[in-house]
Amino acid sequence: MPSLYVDGEWIGAAAEREVVNPADQSVVAKVDEAGAAEVRSAVRAARRAFDDGPWPATPVAERAALLDRVADLLLRDKEEIARTETLDTGKTVKESRIDIDDVVAVFRYYARLVTEQHDRTVDTGRPEIESRVVHEPVGVCVLITPWNYPLLQISWKVAPALAAGNTVVIKPSEVTPLTTIALVRLLEEAGAPRGVVNLVLGGGPAVGSSLVEDPDVDLVSFTGGAATGRAILRAAADTVKRVAVELGGKNPNVVFADAADGEGFETVVDNVMTAVFLHSGQVCSAGARLIVEDSLHDRLVDAIAERAERIVLGDGLDPRSEVGPLVSAQHRDKVEAYVASALAEGATLRAGGRRPADPQLQAGFYYRPTLLTDVRADMRAVREETFGPILTVERFTSEAEACALANDTDLGLAGAVWTADAARGERVARALRQGTVWINDYHPYVPQAEWGGYKRSGNGRELGPTGLHEYQELKHIWRNTAPAPTGWFAS
Ligand code: NAD
């Protein structure tokens, strides 16, 4: 089946790419790899659909109805799409199902939000003037996504982009394109007009950068790694595109001893583990840096070390699996290199640090959840995003020291603070330079609240009202109801 979608048609290409299941390296699918001609056609189709097609001026209620239909179709196909996401990414099917529920919520949220948006009337102080600020779509939007949450990440972009009346060219990660193809099929089924949604597949340097450089593109929304984000910002500069980049994180999870009093201890252990080991740590907001109060350090570390060794690794489709494999051999090599470098720099290995011995897991890219203590803030494994199941532990004795450690990073995507003291929780949450801070929790998000990074974790916001504004221009319309000569020039 052809897998590129250009100007309302599914088309093939001369080249193909194999999509591999990270749990056993089997080939799950072969997809078309776009060449320069397909990329150009996709952008032209989106340009035509924006400049000459009905979509940008389609009544908001109709655009919202399309999003609601997509949400219904996602629920209809939930099991199949969840299975596909697991085959493609390795994540457990339980998590894939949660992703789809979240995606449905995002489509429904933007369907509602866009219908509730109003023009703003400005009081100019002159009764003969009607002044309004109105929302308009930006134009042709290129949406580029990573491999860790393929369906979720594209939905955070495509739902607000279409709600606002833009046309789009989608480029998912070449490693995990399958659920994005499925979503585009649902957009087609839901009635997206010809050329409004286009899909090209292929590698970043070839396909991605041609899209970013194309003069017919007005906006690029990118989620992925820091180096790619910087390259995109540079490449988009010549044509002064709007660019939003959502990049990685190195996220502190700050635990005060009072959070672990009594039954709180189990809650803290459990949440610290979920914060970092969910999806094998391949989460931009993973709580990979545990920053713990000195008096709690030894007890907490002992408990995590013991529990981490009991985490059940396995194929994401097996309901007994708690964690799946890493996404690729190359990524596992990177994770192993981070552990080796930390050990060479003096860290202590308290759990994991190895591939599983289970013969059944040898064909997959598995890596045991890993706990490293005695680390310093200047070690590579502490400073850089490892994007793997690695938890490093630092200790503090005062609130000021905890905040200083947590902010000692170039990144600022997310973080958490655990404490029984409400005032302290609030103070620390305010002090952390992170786009999301959880107090006594980790990971939850809702479509109504903005998501994005401080510092080098990015420059945009997704979700919430701002996630829609990113895809809108503001136009000021000034109407003079009693035009008269200005009298500026005497004759
Ligand atoms: P990546 O940067 O390698 O690739 C991301 C996407 O960019 C892919 O589609 C890739 O093909 C494309 N790409 C690569 N080079 C390109 C270029 N020169 N021009 C245009 N496109 C190009 O990232 P990845 O390895 O797929 O994803 C992991 C990264 O994503 C991590 O750093 C993670 O933290 C980040 N991430 C961030 C968030 C967030 O919300 N901030 C969410 C998920 C993932």
Side-chain angles (χ1 to χ4, degrees), residues 280-297:
S280 269
Q282 302 168 115
V283 182
C284 52
S285 50
R289 261 185 99 189
L290 174 61
I291 298 177
V292 57
E293 192 163 0
D294 209 34
S295 57
L296 178 65
H297 176 276

Side-chain angles (χ1 to χ4, degrees), residues 167-185:
T167 61
V168 302
V169 180
I170 297 170
K171 197 213 84 68
S173 166
E174 60 276 27
V175 186
T176 55
L178 299 183
T179 53
T180 306
I181 299 172
L183 178 66
V184 171
R185 290 196 184 281

